[in-house]
Amino acid sequence: MTTTGAHELREEVRRRYAESARAVSEGSSGSCGSGSCCEGGESDAKFGEALYDAELRGELPEAASLASLGCGNPIVVADLNEGETVLDLGSGGGIDVILSAKRVGETGIAFGLDMTDEMLALARANAQEAGIRNAVFLKGVIEEIPLPAGSVDVVISNCVINLSTDKATVLTEIARVLRPGGRIGISDVVAEDRLSPEERAERGSYVGCIAGALSKGEYEAGLEAAGFDRVSVEFTHEVADGMHGAIVKAVKTAEPERRGLPVIQPAASAGCC
Ligand SMILES: C[S@@+](CC[C@H](N)C(=O)[O-])C[C@H]1O[C@@H](n2cnc3c(N)ncnc32)[C@H](O)[C@@H]1O
């Protein structure tokens, strides 16, 4: 993909998720159905708040639940402890940051990183409504995380890495900000290895979290190349033929090496809308 193509795709992603945030902020609807991950009303059981059990949803302001656009629940896999520093990549309406902040307690901190102003405003309002004081929402891109090296215990993310136009750099950035021994608990859409990038693009759009998905093998290779160990990618539920919501786990044991990372790019045919 050319630099211009990648830039345009990222701007399209930003525009679509700004629309989703506005829909929730204006109270007109939930965030699904507005060209987002759950476009086409897929919020029933494949994307969004339905993936959180009632008890977890009960901890959240209604707008935070409604804004949920994830494809899993990273909170249950990240196994957070009191005092830890957590970073949520592509924090959207703040659902996983709020839940994380409660679990790490006042001696810990939960960062949310997002590039979309409307999502950041929604997330800050939701965290305030939830009475959270140990959450910080940062504006920026996940390809260039605005935090120092070795400053984070756990990186979580929910249905965002598939939207990146430079996934190898995202994985290297995750490794950079994690402390040695730090871990990841990520939910994402992942393709079966049998599907080519073109076949993934036939199954859904890029902003809809389908066309840009990595395959299981690509995810594992990318994480290993970025210095991760104990890598696992487990499918949880099918979201399209051969495409799954998945839980991605790994531990950082070595410093990332930029050289040798696989080039992971969406298919040239991956339409953005
Ligand atoms: C599918 S939504 C998921 C939001 C949230 N994680 C959730 O579970 O509800 C994707 C979010 O990632 C953000 N995003 C997408 N690509 C990004 C990037 N390259 N850098 C930072 N944020 C990004 C969007 O603005 C949007 O808020």
Side-chain angles (χ1 to χ4, degrees):
M1 190 189 294
T2 63
T3 311
T4 312
H7 177 76
E8 282 171 5
L9 204 45
R10 181 189 277 173
E11 287 312 306
E12 180 63 15
V13 169
R14 192 197 306 269
R15 195 177 67 75
R16 289 305 181 98
Y17 287 98
E19 276 173 23
S20 293
R22 275 196 294 271
V24 174
S25 300
E26 290 163 6
S28 56
S29 68
S31 47
C32 289
S34 46
S36 56
C37 259
C38 42
E39 65 184 351
E42 295 281 20
S43 61
D44 45 356
K46 295 177 182 169
F47 293 98
E49 62 173 323
L51 296 166
Y52 294 78
D53 65 28
E55 201 180 331
L56 281 180
R57 289 205 299 263
E59 293 183 34
L60 296 160
E62 196 188 2
S65 282
L66 280 176
S68 173
L69 290 163
C71 45
N73 177 352
I75 296 303
V76 294
V77 287
D79 197 17
L80 302 175
N81 303 305
E82 189 93 13
E84 287 189 314
T85 298
V86 186
L87 168 65
D88 181 17
L89 299 180
S91 44
I95 181 167
D96 295 314
V97 174
I98 293 171
L99 293 170
S100 297
K102 291 186 175 207
R103 278 150 188 77
V104 299
E106 297 263 319
T107 56
I109 187 161
F111 288 104
L113 173 63
D114 207 287
M115 66 178 182
T116 305
D117 287 319
E118 292 80 352
M119 279 295 184
L120 288 165
L122 178 62
R124 289 181 182 124
N126 285 335
Q128 191 171 15
E129 193 184 333
I132 299 295
R133 292 189 302 178
N134 58 332
V136 177
F137 291 94
L138 304 168
K139 180 170 180 178
V141 292
I142 62 175
E143 295 81 3
E144 203 175 340
I145 299 173
L147 285 174
S151 61
V152 173
D153 295 301
V154 189
V155 171
I156 62 170
S157 184
N158 198 349
C159 229
V160 178
I161 293 176
N162 70 79
L163 293 169
S164 171
T165 53
D166 187 353
K167 294 167 178 66
T169 296
V170 174
L171 301 183
T172 312
E173 275 291 272
I174 294 173
R176 181 185 67 77
V177 297
L178 278 174
R179 297 198 172 104
R183 60 197 190 279
I184 65 173
I186 287 174
S187 297
D188 206 356
V189 173
V190 178
E192 291 174 21
D193 289 330
R194 66 182 169 90
L195 296 184
S196 67
E198 286 71 24
E199 288 169 326
R200 296 171 218 171
E202 284 164 17
R203 284 157 174 73
S205 71
Y206 198 91
V207 293
C209 296
I210 300 292
L214 295 175
S215 71
K216 186 173 187 288
E218 288 166 349
Y219 233 125
E220 290 165 345
L223 285 165
E224 278 160 15
F228 286 95
D229 211 350
R230 288 191 259 155
V231 172
S232 77
V233 179
E234 278 175 38
F235 295 150
T236 52
H237 57 290
E238 195 167 50
V239 297
D241 173 30
M243 314 277 302
H244 302 260
I247 290 168
V248 180
K249 291 201 268 188
V251 176
K252 172 184 169 175
T253 52
E255 288 306 322
E257 265 201 44
R258 191 65 186 83
R259 242 171 341 148
L261 279 181
V263 176
I264 306 165
Q265 285 185 338
S269 60
C272 66
C273 315

